[in-house]
């Protein structure tokens, strides 16, 4: 059943994560109620990006020949892969395809395993650096992003931009759909902002990412909000710890557009809610004061309510460990 696609249905037996010394049990300063997301919305808007995010974990060769087994079969045969890049090492894999069923150009980024993303998010590269103004020509002042994520993004950015432009030119398609999971979600979000700034304004962009870590400071979150608006969704799954890193007290803020899977069970049924607002009202000082304190009325169903001390890494993996 299709809803099974959005949540972890497999009994994953991952080792418990190494202890992480980052407190992250902050809650957003947001008293707005969550709103239920319907099964219909999940099916029309989120399932296909989830399927493509999963395919991005397959080998380049399997993706290019569209022979990746169940993940490719779930999407169906009407996908023409136009470019695949990355080396499965320092340069993460991605692919660009013409999705003929939706008549869009699809860009999907591979992620990394949960242990790795937690360590990347928290290691020395958590330092924030200025945004690359060559790749983001219209970015304003004061924008800072995660050094490690930006370095990884830079390794494929030129190829992604040229590849998407050439795919749009050769197909005449006017829509780009962008997705990724985990580290792939962080890169896909940077790609989306870069593409919006560099592509013809007539091209529409839709970005749906899964298990997104925080990518930068308040100014970066504002830029994502302003540039992508409601065409950006980041889906968080139950107690996945990754959306809670790097923590807010280091000056990291999520953009808006969170949709949270609050519950999922073995039948694939989910309880999924849209979390309004952003972390905008929460200054880093305020975050520190709120550390580990749970406030009544905040967005308890959303990822900011997760604590790294009670996490299930399986919830992170589960987002793309999709079944049909
Ligand atoms: C959280 O989700 C439950 C349903 O699972 C709902 O009853 C409750 O109102 C939600 N809480 C908030 C703060 O939105
Ligand atoms: C910006 O990204 C490009 C890759 O497109 C890279 O060549 C360049 O060195 C980066 N600029 C800075 C200042 O890091
Ligand atoms: C795509 O078309 C635009 C406008 O016609 C052109 O400026 C650009 O160089 C082309 N890019 C590629 C990669 O073919
Ligand atoms: C799964 O969740 C759905 C929706 O919350 C519920 O109706 C159903 O009874 C649950 N099934 C099992 C086996 O728990």
């Amino acid at each position: 059943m299709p809803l099974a696609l959005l949540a972890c249905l497999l009994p994953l037996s991952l080792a418990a994560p190494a202890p992480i010394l980052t407190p992250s049990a902050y809650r957003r300063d947001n008293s707005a109620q969550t709103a239920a997301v319907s099964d219909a919305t999940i099916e029309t808007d989120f399932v296909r990006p989830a399927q493509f995010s999963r395919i991005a974990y397959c080998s380049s060769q399997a993706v290019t020949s569209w022979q990746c087994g169940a993940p490719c079969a779930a999407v169906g045969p009407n996908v023409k892969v136009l470019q695949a890049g990355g080396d499965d090492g320092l340069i993460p894999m991605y692919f660009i395809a013409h999705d003929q069923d939706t008549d869009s150009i699809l860009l999907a980024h591979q992620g990394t395993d949960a242990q790795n993303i937690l360590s990347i998010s928290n290691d020395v590269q958590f330092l924030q650096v200025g945004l690359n103004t060559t790749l983001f020509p219209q970015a304003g002042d004061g924008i800072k992003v995660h050094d490690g994520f930006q370095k990884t993004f830079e390794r494929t950015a030129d190829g992604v931009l040229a590849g998407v432009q050439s795919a749009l030119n050769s197909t005449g398609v006017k829509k780009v759909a962008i997705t990724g999971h985990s580290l792939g979600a962080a890169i896909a979000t940077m790609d989306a902002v870069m593409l919006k700034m560099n592509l013809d304004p007539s091209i529409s962009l839709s970005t749906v990412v899964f298990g997104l870590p925080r990518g930068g400071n308040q100014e970066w979150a504002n830029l994502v909000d302003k540039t992508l608006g409601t065409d950006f969704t980041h889906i968080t799954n139950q107690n996945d710890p990754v959306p809670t890193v790097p923590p807010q007290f280091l000056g990291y803020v999520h953009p808006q557009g969170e949709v949270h899977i609050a519950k999922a069970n073995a039948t694939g049924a989910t309880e999924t809610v849209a979390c309004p607002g952003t972390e905008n009202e929460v200054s880093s000082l305020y975050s520190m004061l709120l550390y580990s304190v749970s406030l009544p009325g905040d967005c308890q169903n959303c990822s900011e309510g997760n604590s790294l001390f009670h996490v299930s890494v399986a919830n992170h993996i589960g987002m793309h460990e999709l079944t049909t």
Side-chain angles (χ1 to χ4, degrees):
M1 93 192 285
L3 292 190
L5 291 163
L6 273 182
C8 174
L9 306 176
L10 303 177
L12 294 168
S13 52
L14 281 176
I20 292 148
L21 301 176
T22 307
S24 73
Y26 305 137
R27 308 236 172 186
R28 65 177 67 196
D29 176 27
N30 185 343
S31 56
Q33 286 291 306
T34 54
V37 174
S38 71
D39 288 358
T41 300
I42 291 171
E43 292 200 35
T44 54
D45 294 353
F46 305 146
V47 167
R48 205 165 177 83
Q51 289 168 327
F52 281 118
S53 281
R54 174 167 69 150
I55 291 169
Y57 279 90
C58 302
S59 76
S60 228
Q61 198 188 6
V63 171
T64 310
S65 57
W66 212 241
Q67 301 284 323
C68 60
C72 288
V75 165
N78 301 326
V79 177
K80 193 175 169 214
V81 177
L82 302 168
Q83 182 175 321
D87 65 2
D88 222 359
L90 261 188
I91 307 176
M93 314 266 285
Y94 72 91
F95 70 95
I96 297 169
H98 181 194
D99 179 6
Q100 290 158 339
D101 287 350
T102 60
D103 204 27
S104 47
I105 297 304
L106 181 280
L107 165 64
H109 265 284
Q110 188 189 48
T112 183
D113 63 75
Q115 306 277 2
N116 197 28
I117 185 72
L118 288 169
S119 84
I120 294 171
S121 302
N122 288 293
D123 76 9
V124 61
Q125 293 193 327
F126 71 63
L127 291 173
Q128 293 184 350
V129 295
L131 200 60
N132 185 319
T133 50
T134 312
L135 295 166
F136 297 96
Q138 300 115 16
D141 293 336
I143 301 173
K144 292 200 183 302
V145 291
H146 186 283
D147 188 18
F149 296 164
Q150 175 158 266
K151 284 202 175 93
T152 309
F153 155 78
E154 281 169 351
R155 293 185 189 116
T156 54
D158 294 332
V160 163
L161 178 57
V164 169
Q165 270 171 338
S166 137
L168 291 166
N169 284 6
S170 66
T171 58
V173 165
K174 294 287 181 197
K175 289 186 291 189
V176 181
I178 302 164
T179 191
H181 168 260
S182 182
L183 177 61
I187 301 170
T189 302
M190 300 193 82
D191 276 347
V193 174
M194 170 188 74
L195 289 170
K196 190 75 191 175
M197 287 181 174
N198 288 282
L199 295 177
D200 190 273
S202 67
I203 305 296
S204 72
L205 251 63
S206 163
T207 305
V208 178
V209 296
F210 302 86
L212 176 73
R214 293 193 180 95
N217 66 359
Q218 180 72 67
E219 286 76 8
W220 166 249
N222 292 347
L223 181 70
V224 175
D225 293 350
K226 189 180 82 175
T227 311
L228 304 178
T230 55
D231 296 326
F232 175 81
T233 304
H234 77 99
I235 299 185
T236 56
N237 189 16
Q238 301 170 87
N239 289 323
D240 179 6
V242 171
T244 69
V245 297
Q248 287 183 262
F249 81 91
L250 291 176
Y252 282 88
V253 179
H254 265 308
Q256 64 193 16
E258 179 178 356
V259 166
H260 184 64
I261 300 172
K263 281 186 196 156
N265 68 23
T267 68
T270 62
E271 264 175 39
T272 301
V273 292
C275 302
T278 66
E279 296 171 337
N280 285 1
E281 290 90 56
V282 184
S283 74
S284 19
L285 176 62
Y286 189 41
S287 298
M288 290 181 89
L289 296 174
L290 291 186
Y291 169 53
S292 275
V293 177
S294 134
L295 293 181
D298 59 5
C299 191
Q300 292 172 4
N301 289 334
C302 300
S303 61
E304 287 71 16
N306 294 345
S307 163
L308 278 181
F309 302 110
H310 305 96
V311 295
S312 160
V313 169
N315 284 155
H316 185 61
I317 299 296
M319 195 69 74
H320 69 275
E321 207 61 59
L322 307 162
T323 61
T324 49

